[in-house]
PDB file of all heavy atoms in Angstrom:
ATOM      1  N   ARG A 317      55.380  35.599 135.270  1.00 96.00           N
ATOM      2  CA  ARG A 317      55.109  35.912 133.864  1.00 96.00           C
ATOM      3  C   ARG A 317      53.972  35.016 133.321  1.00 96.00           C
ATOM      4  O   ARG A 317      53.103  35.489 132.604  1.00 96.00           O
ATOM      5  CB  ARG A 317      56.363  35.713 133.014  1.00 96.00           C
ATOM      6  CG  ARG A 317      57.365  36.841 133.129  1.00 96.00           C
ATOM      7  CD  ARG A 317      58.477  36.717 132.093  1.00 96.00           C
ATOM      8  NE  ARG A 317      59.421  37.813 132.226  1.00 96.00           N
ATOM      9  CZ  ARG A 317      60.486  37.790 133.030  1.00 96.00           C
ATOM     10  NH1 ARG A 317      60.751  36.691 133.760  1.00 96.00           N
ATOM     11  NH2 ARG A 317      61.294  38.829 133.105  1.00 96.00           N
ATOM     12  N   ASP A 318      54.008  33.748 133.696  1.00 96.00           N
ATOM     13  CA  ASP A 318      52.922  32.850 133.276  1.00 96.00           C
ATOM     14  C   ASP A 318      51.593  33.290 133.873  1.00 96.00           C
ATOM     15  O   ASP A 318      50.550  33.284 133.182  1.00 96.00           O
ATOM     16  CB  ASP A 318      53.225  31.404 133.712  1.00 96.00           C
ATOM     17  CG  ASP A 318      54.437  30.825 132.983  1.00 96.00           C
ATOM     18  OD1 ASP A 318      54.748  31.310 131.897  1.00 96.00           O
ATOM     19  OD2 ASP A 318      55.073  29.896 133.519  1.00 96.00           O
ATOM     20  N   THR A 319      51.631  33.690 135.141  1.00 96.00           N
ATOM     21  CA  THR A 319      50.404  34.164 135.794  1.00 96.00           C
ATOM     22  C   THR A 319      49.866  35.427 135.121  1.00 96.00           C
ATOM     23  O   THR A 319      48.659  35.562 134.879  1.00 96.00           O
ATOM     24  CB  THR A 319      50.674  34.442 137.281  1.00 96.00           C
ATOM     25  OG1 THR A 319      51.146  33.264 137.920  1.00 96.00           O
ATOM     26  CG2 THR A 319      49.411  34.936 137.969  1.00 96.00           C
ATOM     27  N   ILE A 320      50.776  36.344 134.791  1.00 96.00           N
ATOM     28  CA  ILE A 320      50.373  37.584 134.113  1.00 96.00           C
ATOM     29  C   ILE A 320      49.760  37.290 132.766  1.00 96.00           C
ATOM     30  O   ILE A 320      48.737  37.875 132.374  1.00 96.00           O
ATOM     31  CB  ILE A 320      51.586  38.532 133.974  1.00 96.00           C
ATOM     32  CG1 ILE A 320      51.983  39.078 135.346  1.00 96.00           C
ATOM     33  CG2 ILE A 320      51.277  39.684 133.012  1.00 96.00           C
ATOM     34  CD1 ILE A 320      53.273  39.874 135.343  1.00 96.00           C
ATOM     35  N   ARG A 321      50.370  36.349 132.024  1.00 96.00           N
ATOM     36  CA  ARG A 321      49.822  35.997 130.713  1.00 96.00           C
ATOM     37  C   ARG A 321      48.407  35.428 130.853  1.00 96.00           C
ATOM     38  O   ARG A 321      47.511  35.777 130.073  1.00 96.00           O
ATOM     39  CB  ARG A 321      50.730  34.980 130.035  1.00 96.00           C
ATOM     40  CG  ARG A 321      50.308  34.609 128.626  1.00 96.00           C
ATOM     41  CD  ARG A 321      51.397  33.886 127.863  1.00 96.00           C
ATOM     42  NE  ARG A 321      51.903  32.726 128.580  1.00 96.00           N
ATOM     43  CZ  ARG A 321      53.106  32.691 129.182  1.00 96.00           C
ATOM     44  NH1 ARG A 321      53.895  33.738 129.145  1.00 96.00           N
ATOM     45  NH2 ARG A 321      53.511  31.609 129.796  1.00 96.00           N
ATOM     46  N   GLU A 322      48.193  34.572 131.830  1.00 96.00           N
ATOM     47  CA  GLU A 322      46.854  34.013 132.068  1.00 96.00           C
ATOM     48  C   GLU A 322      45.871  35.113 132.479  1.00 96.00           C
ATOM     49  O   GLU A 322      44.708  35.125 132.011  1.00 96.00           O
ATOM     50  CB  GLU A 322      46.929  32.952 133.159  1.00 96.00           C
ATOM     51  CG  GLU A 322      47.700  31.695 132.741  1.00 96.00           C
ATOM     52  CD  GLU A 322      47.889  30.721 133.900  1.00 96.00           C
ATOM     53  OE1 GLU A 322      47.452  31.065 135.032  1.00 96.00           O
ATOM     54  OE2 GLU A 322      48.470  29.647 133.683  1.00 96.00           O
ATOM     55  N   GLN A 323      46.309  36.033 133.334  1.00 95.00           N
ATOM     56  CA  GLN A 323      45.435  37.119 133.767  1.00 95.00           C
ATOM     57  C   GLN A 323      45.088  38.047 132.603  1.00 95.00           C
ATOM     58  O   GLN A 323      43.935  38.510 132.480  1.00 95.00           O
ATOM     59  CB  GLN A 323      46.117  37.924 134.884  1.00 95.00           C
ATOM     60  CG  GLN A 323      46.188  37.176 136.211  1.00 95.00           C
ATOM     61  CD  GLN A 323      46.895  38.005 137.277  1.00 95.00           C
ATOM     62  OE1 GLN A 323      47.564  38.993 136.992  1.00 95.00           O
ATOM     63  NE2 GLN A 323      46.756  37.580 138.525  1.00 95.00           N
ATOM     64  N   GLU A 324      46.058  38.310 131.725  1.00 95.00           N
ATOM     65  CA  GLU A 324      45.779  39.147 130.556  1.00 95.00           C
ATOM     66  C   GLU A 324      44.772  38.471 129.625  1.00 95.00           C
ATOM     67  O   GLU A 324      43.854  39.144 129.112  1.00 95.00           O
ATOM     68  CB  GLU A 324      47.079  39.427 129.803  1.00 95.00           C
ATOM     69  CG  GLU A 324      47.978  40.428 130.488  1.00 95.00           C
ATOM     70  CD  GLU A 324      49.285  40.634 129.769  1.00 95.00           C
ATOM     71  OE1 GLU A 324      49.690  39.735 129.011  1.00 95.00           O
ATOM     72  OE2 GLU A 324      49.905  41.693 129.951  1.00 95.00           O
ATOM     73  N   GLU A 325      44.921  37.178 129.411  1.00 96.00           N
ATOM     74  CA  GLU A 325      43.978  36.447 128.564  1.00 96.00           C
ATOM     75  C   GLU A 325      42.571  36.475 129.181  1.00 96.00           C
ATOM     76  O   GLU A 325      41.581  36.668 128.475  1.00 96.00           O
ATOM     77  CB  GLU A 325      44.448  35.014 128.367  1.00 96.00           C
ATOM     78  CG  GLU A 325      45.710  34.890 127.519  1.00 96.00           C
ATOM     79  CD  GLU A 325      46.225  33.465 127.450  1.00 96.00           C
ATOM     80  OE1 GLU A 325      45.662  32.605 128.181  1.00 96.00           O
ATOM     81  OE2 GLU A 325      47.200  33.207 126.708  1.00 96.00           O
ATOM     82  N   ALA A 326      42.510  36.278 130.499  1.00 95.00           N
ATOM     83  CA  ALA A 326      41.201  36.310 131.194  1.00 95.00           C
ATOM     84  C   ALA A 326      40.587  37.696 131.111  1.00 95.00           C
ATOM     85  O   ALA A 326      39.369  37.836 130.896  1.00 95.00           O
ATOM     86  CB  ALA A 326      41.368  35.872 132.642  1.00 95.00           C
ATOM     87  N   PHE A 327      41.399  38.737 131.251  1.00 94.00           N
ATOM     88  CA  PHE A 327      40.917  40.113 131.193  1.00 94.00           C
ATOM     89  C   PHE A 327      40.362  40.422 129.795  1.00 94.00           C
ATOM     90  O   PHE A 327      39.274  40.984 129.666  1.00 94.00           O
ATOM     91  CB  PHE A 327      42.050  41.084 131.542  1.00 94.00           C
ATOM     92  CG  PHE A 327      41.666  42.533 131.442  1.00 94.00           C
ATOM     93  CD1 PHE A 327      40.993  43.146 132.483  1.00 94.00           C
ATOM     94  CD2 PHE A 327      41.973  43.264 130.318  1.00 94.00           C
ATOM     95  CE1 PHE A 327      40.630  44.485 132.389  1.00 94.00           C
ATOM     96  CE2 PHE A 327      41.617  44.593 130.226  1.00 94.00           C
ATOM     97  CZ  PHE A 327      40.953  45.211 131.255  1.00 94.00           C
ATOM     98  N   ILE A 328      41.122  40.046 128.760  1.00 95.00           N
ATOM     99  CA  ILE A 328      40.688  40.305 127.382  1.00 95.00           C
ATOM    100  C   ILE A 328      39.400  39.553 127.076  1.00 95.00           C
ATOM    101  O   ILE A 328      38.463  40.097 126.468  1.00 95.00           O
ATOM    102  CB  ILE A 328      41.803  39.913 126.397  1.00 95.00           C
ATOM    103  CG1 ILE A 328      43.002  40.844 126.561  1.00 95.00           C
ATOM    104  CG2 ILE A 328      41.296  39.935 124.966  1.00 95.00           C
ATOM    105  CD1 ILE A 328      44.229  40.411 125.795  1.00 95.00           C
ATOM    106  N   LYS A 329      39.325  38.293 127.515  1.00 95.00           N
ATOM    107  CA  LYS A 329      38.131  37.492 127.272  1.00 95.00           C
ATOM    108  C   LYS A 329      36.911  38.087 127.961  1.00 95.00           C
ATOM    109  O   LYS A 329      35.840  38.212 127.366  1.00 95.00           O
ATOM    110  CB  LYS A 329      38.369  36.060 127.769  1.00 95.00           C
ATOM    111  CG  LYS A 329      37.180  35.138 127.560  1.00 95.00           C
ATOM    112  CD  LYS A 329      37.475  33.746 128.091  1.00 95.00           C
ATOM    113  CE  LYS A 329      36.268  32.829 127.917  1.00 95.00           C
ATOM    114  NZ  LYS A 329      36.533  31.474 128.472  1.00 95.00           N
ATOM    115  N   ARG A 330      37.085  38.477 129.230  1.00 93.00           N
ATOM    116  CA  ARG A 330      35.957  39.026 129.987  1.00 93.00           C
ATOM    117  C   ARG A 330      35.503  40.366 129.405  1.00 93.00           C
ATOM    118  O   ARG A 330      34.290  40.638 129.297  1.00 93.00           O
ATOM    119  CB  ARG A 330      36.361  39.210 131.451  1.00 93.00           C
ATOM    120  CG  ARG A 330      35.237  39.705 132.350  1.00 93.00           C
ATOM    121  CD  ARG A 330      34.087  38.744 132.349  1.00 93.00           C
ATOM    122  NE  ARG A 330      32.994  39.192 133.186  1.00 93.00           N
ATOM    123  CZ  ARG A 330      31.727  39.089 132.854  1.00 93.00           C
ATOM    124  NH1 ARG A 330      31.368  38.536 131.704  1.00 93.00           N
ATOM    125  NH2 ARG A 330      30.786  39.507 133.681  1.00 93.00           N
ATOM    126  N   ARG A 331      36.458  41.197 129.021  1.00 93.00           N
ATOM    127  CA  ARG A 331      36.106  42.500 128.435  1.00 93.00           C
ATOM    128  C   ARG A 331      35.360  42.281 127.118  1.00 93.00           C
ATOM    129  O   ARG A 331      34.372  42.991 126.829  1.00 93.00           O
ATOM    130  CB  ARG A 331      37.374  43.312 128.200  1.00 93.00           C
ATOM    131  CG  ARG A 331      37.091  44.713 127.638  1.00 93.00           C
ATOM    132  CD  ARG A 331      38.359  45.519 127.534  1.00 93.00           C
ATOM    133  NE  ARG A 331      39.329  44.896 126.668  1.00 93.00           N
ATOM    134  CZ  ARG A 331      40.567  45.355 126.460  1.00 93.00           C
ATOM    135  NH1 ARG A 331      40.970  46.448 127.090  1.00 93.00           N
ATOM    136  NH2 ARG A 331      41.387  44.739 125.642  1.00 93.00           N
TER     137      ARG A 331
END
Side-chain angles (χ1 to χ4, degrees):
R317 282 190 180 89
D318 293 337
T319 301
I320 289 173
R321 183 166 53 253
E322 292 173 358
Q323 289 179 345
E324 286 177 337
E325 291 174 355
F327 177 82
I328 292 171
K329 180 181 179 181
R330 184 60 180 139
R331 183 175 61 183

